[in-house]
Amino acid sequence: MQKPYVFITRKLPEETLVSLKEIADVGMWPSEEEAVPRKVLLKEAQKAEGLLTMLSDNIDKELFDNAPSLKVVANLAVGYDNIDIEAAKMKNVRVCNTPDILTDSTADLTFSLILATARRIVESASYVKEGKWNSWGPLLLAGADVHHKTIGIVGMGRIGEAVARRAKGFDMNILYHNRSRKPEAEKKLGAVYRDFYDLLKESDFVVCLAPLTTETKGMFNREAFQAMKQSAIFINAGRGASVDEEALVDALKNSVIAGAGLDVYVIEPIAADHPLLTMKQVVALPHIGSASVETRKKMSELACRNIAKVIDGKKAETPVV
Ligand code: GLV
Ligand code: GLV
């Protein structure tokens, strides 16, 4: 009997694919760095029962309409805004993500961005490597403190709570904003709920970890940056499109806020000549939130198990729908 066909849209470590290969014929886009071309993706989807996709793949209605055998799409990410969930439901295709296993790695990276931006780590490291360090100076590359400051977390999901745990270790005052209240986090972490604008006004570090939805799209707009302290640092490790980037550029240029640490952008990869990349008060990373070797392997294994289970007629471990 012919095995079901599964297509993986980016090169993943072979050892994470062993169990999937037992039950399926697996095709894989061979590049680690380059996204699969749309044409190839559509062609592969036509014959696949399962797709293992990246957040950079647009899994839309056109794809679902032309994938008659498709049963499951497993996204290698916790976010799934790149997938048309309604179209998947219409075609009765399961969609899965990789929550939980990436929570701590992503929180580590988010906290790194806070520290790197506040303490000017990237700028300082370049300064030394470029041979500019001539003498110790009392205010040489002096940044802002993180400890004992107020952090405002927008999007208090699992990653938001993990960032709050780290903030507690830095003796920070923790505010959060979320669609729903989180009584557990309030009790365990001393996190205090605030309306969005109150959080913006009171926080030294405003951290966006919200998923991208119609409600969060563009929520960090001109008014939002205006509401922040002039000394505030904005961190985005959620989704780029939660931000009006033009408004962010203006806020930074005009010292409406003090700095930004960004892992995500409206368009990824961000253009090399983007104004955000010309500002020394911006730390910009290439969407590496969950990118530790250990975590990426676990994400790949979980995505493979999800595909194998659905193809086998069982319930996925981490279904979205
Ligand atoms: C990364 O951004 C993810 O959603 O996992
Ligand atoms: C969302 O699902 C999160 O893990 O923050």
Side-chain angles (χ1 to χ4, degrees):
M1 208 179 84
Q2 210 181 341
K3 284 184 187 171
Y5 181 67
V6 171
F7 181 66
I8 303 176
T9 68
R10 202 72 70 93
K11 188 171 176 350
L12 290 173
E14 276 300 327
E15 70 270 26
T16 63
L17 311 177
V18 176
S19 61
L20 184 62
K21 286 190 165 173
E22 279 170 15
I23 64 114
D25 282 329
V26 177
M28 184 159 71
W29 179 244
S31 170
E32 215 166 295
E33 280 168 17
E34 239 177 82
V36 63
R38 176 83 183 161
K39 257 170 100 172
V40 176
L41 173 61
L42 290 178
K43 195 150 168 274
E44 294 287 346
Q46 277 176 12
K47 56 181 182 187
E49 287 192 29
L51 289 176
L52 199 167
T53 56
M54 309 298 127
L55 53 83
S56 47
D57 302 319
N58 186 16
I59 309 300
D60 58 3
K61 187 167 180 309
E62 183 193 16
L63 184 146
F64 287 113
D65 282 344
N66 292 288
S69 320
L70 193 60
K71 291 184 178 151
V72 54
V73 175
N75 212 35
L76 194 82
V78 64
Y80 46 87
D81 48 278
N82 58 308
I83 300 172
D84 186 335
I85 296 295
E86 287 311 309
K89 278 191 198 158
M90 294 272 290
K91 297 284 175 185
N92 203 23
V93 176
R94 294 276 86 71
V95 175
C96 309
N97 66 344
T98 60
D100 302 317
I101 50 175
L102 51 55
T103 296
D104 282 314
S105 300
T106 309
D108 283 351
L109 192 278
T110 306
F111 219 85
S112 310
L113 259 183
I114 294 172
L115 292 168
T117 312
R119 295 301 302 271
R120 303 171 67 179
I121 302 289
V122 177
E123 212 186 328
S124 298
S126 303
Y127 185 83
V128 176
K129 284 197 174 172
E130 286 164 14
K132 292 183 182 157
W133 189 24
N134 295 320
S135 113
W136 183 89
L139 286 177
L140 175 65
L141 288 157
D145 277 327
V146 173
H147 66 86
H148 294 96
K149 292 282 183 70
T150 296
I151 185 171
I153 300 169
V154 179
M156 196 66 153
R158 289 156 284 204
I159 301 168
E161 286 194 28
V163 168
R165 284 197 293 279
R166 284 153 180 77
K168 200 168 152 66
F170 279 72
D171 296 316
M172 296 179 91
N173 177 33
I174 303 165
L175 307 178
Y176 79 96
H177 179 76
N178 198 58
R179 247 182 336 177
S180 57
R181 291 285 286 264
K182 296 289 176 126
E184 279 291 299
E186 294 184 15
K187 215 164 61 197
K188 271 196 309 218
L189 300 164
V192 179
Y193 179 84
R194 283 282 189 275
D195 285 336
F196 184 55
Y197 273 89
D198 288 335
L199 177 143
L200 300 180
K201 273 182 219 155
E202 293 175 43
S203 299
D204 299 299
F205 297 90
V206 175
V207 180
C208 172
L209 283 163
L212 180 62
T213 63
T214 46
E215 289 151 35
T216 60
K217 190 165 184 215
M219 80 189 293
F220 291 93
N221 55 17
R222 251 164 242 285
E223 293 72 42
F225 293 117
Q226 283 292 349
M228 293 181 198
K229 295 182 184 180
Q230 213 182 349
S231 57
I233 288 177
F234 174 66
I235 303 292
N236 192 1
R239 281 293 181 269
S242 301
V243 177
D244 174 347
E245 275 177 1
E246 225 177 86
L248 174 60
V249 167
D250 289 344
L252 288 162
K253 244 196 236 161
N254 301 322
S255 302
V256 173
I257 65 170
L262 308 170
D263 190 39
V264 291
Y265 310 89
V266 173
I267 294 171
E268 296 180 6
I270 187 171
D273 62 353
H274 195 289
L276 280 171
L277 305 186
T278 63
M279 294 188 239
K280 66 178 185 349
Q281 69 274 44
V282 172
V283 173
L285 303 179
H287 203 151
I288 55 168
S290 61
S292 72
V293 175
E294 300 97 310
T295 290
R296 284 285 159 85
K297 283 187 178 168
K298 283 185 200 150
M299 289 164 67
S300 179
E301 284 162 357
L302 173 58
C304 286
R305 290 202 302 276
N306 276 326
I307 292 173
K309 286 206 166 135
V310 175
I311 286 180
D312 197 22
K314 298 193 182 113
K315 196 170 163 354
E317 279 179 48
T318 52
V320 174
V321 291

